[in-house]
Amino acid sequence: MSQQLNQVFLMQKNFSQNAAHEFRTPLTIMKTRIGLFRKKNGLQAPQTEELLQIMEGEANRLSAMVGSLLELTNLEQEDSFEPFHPGKLLQAVADEVSPLAQERQVSITVNASPSTLWGNKHLLHRALFNLMENAVKYSEAGGKVAAAVRCENGWVRVGVTDQGPGIPEELRQQIFEPFFRVDKARSRQQGGVGLGLALVRAIAEHHGGAVIAEAAEAGGSRFVLTLPCEPCPEGTEA
Ligand code: ADP
């Protein structure tokens, strides 16, 4: 039974991976052709311009979706682990998200105690980015996002708390499923494709960790990413 399930899972994964690969070329062609059309023909009548913008926007969304799907199905190939400071990584992610936060009038604070993680920095950067970007995206103007790293009993815990709408208790597991959105229209409006949290969970599990969503004390949500603080191999301290 478990062998059969594994096989079905593998088939499904291969299918997603192949489909994502196949979608890349036509999407690139579409985007290039739209770009060329614009370059050759200059400013268009309002109706044509509107159509071009819709096509461009949807092609970009599909590209983002295909990119995330490929990341999700290629995780095992990401096996280059290295030692690094999660606090510094969190600060780098906060700096990256800060233009979006400023645009949305959301403030970000980072609080980190020193610790060393042994992991894939590129993947963990992606996971933290998705959590921070979501916290900003789902906040109202004037909202505060607080991110913190703590090291406790051999585990590194990264918490990202916001003052947004929060997530209904009965949906706090489902939001980690691919393509699940609490409010499809809102996610779409924010440019979301519904794969961000699925990727965070897959990255956490790839490192022997986990991620949960809970209610923040002052309203809003808190996401907690827990990762084992593996001892770094000798001579590789960060
Ligand atoms: P999306 O691209 O739609 O943001 P995600 O996988 O990142 O996809 O998130 C899945 C869903 O979880 C979102 O559509 C949203 O409904 C909910 N969600 C994620 N982060 C937050 C948050 N910080 N506050 C409220 N809802 C959130």
Side-chain angles (χ1 to χ4, degrees):
M1 176 72 170
S2 103
Q3 213 176 352
Q4 266 176 340
L5 272 177
N6 272 345
Q7 215 163 354
V8 172
F9 177 70
L10 200 69
M11 272 166 60
Q12 228 178 25
K13 205 176 134 208
N14 285 343
F15 173 80
S16 308
Q17 204 166 18
N18 292 338
H21 263 296
E22 294 300 322
F23 291 155
R24 270 211 304 204
T25 313
L27 271 169
T28 311
I29 295 174
M30 263 172 72
K31 289 204 289 189
T32 314
R33 293 303 284 259
I34 297 172
L36 279 175
F37 181 89
R38 278 192 187 288
K39 226 176 181 173
K40 250 174 132 176
N41 301 292
L43 202 62
Q44 295 300 308
Q47 274 177 334
T48 315
E49 190 53 43
E50 192 188 343
L51 181 68
L52 284 174
Q53 272 179 19
I54 292 173
M55 283 168 64
E56 243 168 357
E58 294 303 310
N60 285 337
R61 258 170 59 75
L62 268 172
S63 284
M65 209 181 277
V66 164
S68 296
L69 258 181
L70 280 172
E71 279 184 276
L72 203 54
T73 49
N74 281 337
L75 273 192
E76 289 96 84
Q77 282 154 33
E78 294 275 0
D79 56 0
S80 59
F81 278 36
E82 59 183 307
F84 61 90
H85 294 292
K88 284 188 189 163
L89 188 65
L90 192 61
Q91 185 59 58
V93 170
D95 294 343
E96 227 175 296
V97 177
S98 124
L100 176 71
Q102 268 171 21
E103 191 187 302
R104 300 184 58 92
Q105 297 171 355
V106 172
S107 66
I108 302 181
T109 53
V110 174
N111 199 321
S113 60
S115 51
T116 303
L117 257 182
W118 174 249
N120 183 297
K121 200 171 165 183
H122 159 73
L123 288 182
L124 288 168
H125 180 279
R126 182 74 159 117
L128 296 180
F129 182 88
N130 287 359
L131 292 179
M132 294 277 265
E133 193 195 35
N134 274 351
V136 170
K137 259 183 5 185
Y138 293 101
S139 287
E140 299 297 335
K144 293 187 174 91
V145 169
V149 179
R150 269 189 302 147
C151 193
E152 275 172 357
N153 309 323
W155 292 88
V156 167
R157 276 179 229 286
V158 185
V160 179
T161 309
D162 64 56
Q163 299 175 322
I167 297 153
E169 196 174 352
E170 66 281 10
L171 301 179
R172 285 187 203 140
Q173 298 269 355
Q174 268 169 288
I175 51 167
F176 294 99
E177 298 297 330
F179 302 114
F180 182 86
R181 281 98 127 197
V182 176
D183 179 345
K184 259 199 164 138
R186 180 162 185 181
S187 156
R188 197 183 154 79
Q189 198 185 21
Q190 311 274 8
V193 295
L195 286 170
L197 289 180
L199 199 51
V200 175
R201 183 173 65 178
I203 292 171
E205 288 173 358
H206 187 64
H207 285 81
V211 60
I212 56 160
E214 52 189 32
E217 288 104 45
S221 341
R222 174 169 37 243
F223 285 82
V224 184
L225 177 64
T226 309
L227 301 163
C229 217
E230 303 272 355
C232 300
E234 231 169 281
T236 61
E237 301 296 311

